[in-house]
Amino acid sequence: MRNKLIETRKTGRRTRTSHAQVVDELGKAIVAGTYPVGSILPGDTELAQRFKVSRTVLRETMKTLAAKGMVVAKARVGTRVTEKNLWNMFDSEIIAWHFDSGVTEEFLLQLYDIRLAVEPFAAGLVAERANAEEIETLRGLAEEMAASDHTADSLALADLHFHLALAEASHNPFMRTLGSLIEAALVGMFRISTPPSENGFANIADTHMRIVDAIASGDSAAARRAMEVVILDGRDHVHESFATRGSPDPIEPLSPAISPK
């Protein structure tokens, strides 16, 4: 696994250009419903005054949002917010904007649906393809989850490192592109739950080690089943947390984007 540098909420968002800042503000407003589906965004003059940026920056902003599937420009009409089914939900910024606006149980459970559809198969691939070094890396990452001093953030980070390493060990580049979805699901689960020492996460190292043991033995079917257990357990924690605590405060992912160091 390549070394990763994951920025936590404590460090804040990265320093952004004017373009990135406007994209972030408008993207969050669209996701939050300030500009609902079907509405027309304010014109260039109003937005330029509001954000104190040039029309060139606004044009690039709209191109970025259009590339994410969130808006479409119409001649003599303006820039319209598109239907949500057109948005690129694999985009790390769109995921972060959902967290900024207050993540819902439905959103988190949908993330777990995608994980359940993909990650068990990835675990099976790793059992077939991983080399000895990759298996030992996974074993070490599983062992790190057993540390007694984990906070919700540090445990989410340890869990994330394991799943990203597993995706890379599948030797399928498409698996790695799911990193932002995995991160969002894990951070959501850990941050809406009670502290790790109190909520049943004590066995997390064991459940992940079962995945590693299956991989080490080359048993694809067992690796898939072990991964399913881990994901279903996380989904159950999400459901239980919302059932007992209701809608939580807005949750921010560990990083604006996951990228190699």
Side-chain angles (χ1 to χ4, degrees), residues 1-80:
M1 174 183 176
R2 296 189 298 256
N3 290 328
K4 311 290 176 185
L5 178 61
I6 310 296
E7 297 179 0
T8 67
R9 190 173 188 177
K10 296 176 182 178
T11 64
R13 295 284 177 93
R14 292 183 181 131
T15 301
R16 296 172 294 182
T17 63
S18 295
H19 163 258
Q21 182 175 355
V22 179
V23 167
D24 189 60
E25 291 299 323
L26 286 177
K28 284 192 291 188
I30 290 171
V31 170
T34 303
Y35 302 117
V37 168
S39 66
I40 303 299
L41 295 181
D44 286 355
T45 300
E46 180 180 339
L47 291 176
Q49 291 176 345
R50 180 187 304 178
F51 294 110
K52 299 188 176 2
V53 295
S54 67
R55 289 178 182 269
T56 299
V57 169
L58 287 178
R59 283 195 296 270
E60 292 303 312
T61 294
M62 296 308 166
K63 287 180 181 178
T64 299
L65 293 175
K68 296 177 185 293
M70 301 181 76
V71 301
V72 61
K74 296 280 189 179
R76 296 185 295 277
V77 174
T79 302
R80 180 175 58 82

Side-chain angles (χ1 to χ4, degrees), residues 123-135:
L125 290 181
V126 176
E128 298 171 2
R129 302 175 178 177
N131 58 42
E133 181 179 356
E134 289 167 332
I135 293 172

Side-chain angles (χ1 to χ4, degrees), residues 21-258:
Q21 182 175 355
V22 179
V23 167
D24 189 60
E25 291 299 323
L26 286 177
K28 284 192 291 188
I30 290 171
V31 170
T34 303
Y35 302 117
V37 168
S39 66
I40 303 299
L41 295 181
D44 286 355
T45 300
E46 180 180 339
L47 291 176
Q49 291 176 345
R50 180 187 304 178
F51 294 110
K52 299 188 176 2
V53 295
S54 67
R55 289 178 182 269
T56 299
V57 169
L58 287 178
R59 283 195 296 270
E60 292 303 312
T61 294
M62 296 308 166
K63 287 180 181 178
T64 299
L65 293 175
K68 296 177 185 293
M70 301 181 76
V71 301
V72 61
K74 296 280 189 179
R76 296 185 295 277
V77 174
T79 302
R80 180 175 58 82
V81 177
T82 59
E83 297 289 336
K84 290 186 177 181
N85 62 357
L86 297 177
W87 298 2
N88 178 12
M89 296 304 296
F90 289 84
D91 185 287
S92 61
E93 285 189 304
I94 292 180
I95 293 173
W97 294 333
H98 276 81
F99 275 66
D100 287 335
S101 64
V103 70
T104 64
E105 178 182 13
E106 180 184 23
F107 181 75
L108 284 178
L109 293 180
Q110 287 169 342
L111 288 172
Y112 274 90
D113 287 343
I114 295 298
R115 291 190 65 198
L116 196 58
V118 176
E119 287 191 83
F121 185 77
L125 290 181
V126 176
E128 298 171 2
R129 302 175 178 177
N131 58 42
E133 181 179 356
E134 289 167 332
I135 293 172
E136 285 310 303
T137 295
L138 288 170
R139 192 176 299 281
L141 291 171
E143 290 173 349
E144 287 179 16
M145 296 182 203
S148 60
D149 58 348
H150 273 307
T151 63
D153 275 353
S154 68
L155 187 54
L157 188 59
D159 202 351
L160 175 63
H161 283 162
F162 177 91
H163 288 274
L164 294 183
L166 186 141
E168 294 214 7
S170 72
H171 297 278
N172 184 322
F174 292 100
M175 296 295 182
R176 181 60 184 82
T177 64
L178 297 176
S180 294
L181 298 181
I182 296 170
E183 178 193 22
L186 292 175
V187 174
M189 176 185 69
F190 284 112
R191 289 189 177 173
I192 66 175
S193 298
T194 52
S197 60
E198 302 173 13
N199 63 5
F201 289 137
N203 70 336
I204 191 169
D206 293 336
T207 58
H208 284 71
M209 193 62 73
R210 291 188 193 110
I211 299 173
V212 178
D213 289 340
I215 288 171
S217 65
D219 191 335
S220 296
R224 288 195 296 270
R225 289 193 299 271
M227 178 63 79
E228 286 177 357
V229 168
V230 165
I231 296 172
L232 289 172
D233 186 53
R235 191 175 68 176
D236 288 344
H237 275 289
V238 169
H239 181 70
E240 291 168 4
S241 293
F242 274 89
T244 58
R245 299 174 58 188
S247 180
D249 295 331
I251 307 167
E252 186 172 332
L254 286 173
S255 62
I258 302 172

